[in-house]
Amino acid sequence: MALAIRRFPDPILKRPTHPVERVDAAVRKLVEQMAATMCAHPRCVGLAAPQVGSTLRIAVMDSSRNPKVAESRGLIILVNPHVTAAEGAVLQREGCLSIPDFTGNVQRAARVRIRAHDQDGQLQEFWLEGFEAIIAQHEIDHLDGKLFLDRVANLKTDVFRRRTSL
Ligand code: NI
């Protein structure tokens, strides 16, 4: 079942999240609902718990939902994710289900090493690059109470109104 999306300026989007202490049935259910919510929005490639009203440090992402992406790990579940290393820089246009009417130019690291637990509670550490690196950084920002609007260099020149709302 898809969950309702919280939109800017809902204050939950500005609040840092709490780490998950144990990956239990409730956490797995939330992960499942977040994946279903992502799938309910055709252009959505990532979702963070605050966007569905939870204050837990959880995100889901799937770059393969964008048909232009050639290589993808598919669905990635991120429980308590952190960036442990970053390399390079890229500037790219980003959007967000919680900010449905705008996109923005955001600078991100080109490659990031992520440490996170998976849906079984196992600690994983891996590198992401390209589109997946950007999605992971965007979602981890959500978990720290940050939106892409907080990352654009200039709100006047780097934010754009969408022709069609998400
Ligand atoms: Ni977002």
Side-chain angles (χ1 to χ4, degrees):
M1 188 195 72
L3 303 169
I5 299 292
R6 303 294 187 95
R7 289 182 171 184
F8 179 81
D10 189 317
I12 198 169
L13 297 171
K14 290 290 199 180
R15 248 177 254 149
T17 49
H18 306 292
V20 172
E21 284 177 17
R22 203 162 57 89
V23 179
D24 57 13
V27 165
R28 276 191 291 272
K29 184 174 182 204
L30 176 61
V31 165
E32 231 169 75
Q33 288 176 320
M34 287 173 62
T37 305
M38 177 168 67
C39 289
H41 296 270
R43 287 193 279 174
C44 178
V45 290
L47 195 67
Q51 295 183 275
V52 292
S54 162
T55 57
L56 289 175
R57 194 169 180 86
I58 300 174
V60 298
M61 55 177 277
D62 186 348
S63 69
S64 73
R65 305 199 70 241
N66 181 330
K68 291 183 204 148
V69 170
E71 264 187 57
S72 172
R73 288 173 180 243
L75 178 65
I76 302 177
I77 309 292
L78 299 169
V79 176
N80 298 340
H82 287 277
V83 173
T84 56
E87 292 175 354
V90 285
L91 187 71
Q92 195 155 318
R93 193 71 72 86
E94 291 186 21
C96 182
L97 268 186
S98 295
I99 309 171
D101 296 322
F102 296 92
T103 60
N105 288 331
V106 181
Q107 187 171 308
R108 301 282 188 191
R111 288 171 297 284
V112 285
R113 189 163 171 80
I114 304 289
R115 183 186 292 161
H117 294 271
D118 63 17
Q119 66 271 38
D120 300 316
Q122 297 295 316
L123 187 62
Q124 310 279 351
E125 195 155 359
F126 49 89
W127 282 96
L128 294 176
E129 58 180 35
F131 191 37
E132 288 182 315
I134 290 164
I135 301 170
Q137 290 170 85
H138 177 114
E139 302 314 328
I140 289 173
D141 263 1
H142 272 299
L143 302 177
D144 293 328
K146 286 201 186 76
L147 299 170
F148 78 76
L149 291 176
D150 301 315
R151 293 277 188 197
V152 298
N154 185 321
L155 283 172
K156 287 208 176 82
T157 57
D158 293 320
V159 175
F160 309 90
R161 185 171 277 280
R162 284 186 189 272
R163 277 187 217 104
T164 50
S165 178
L166 270 183

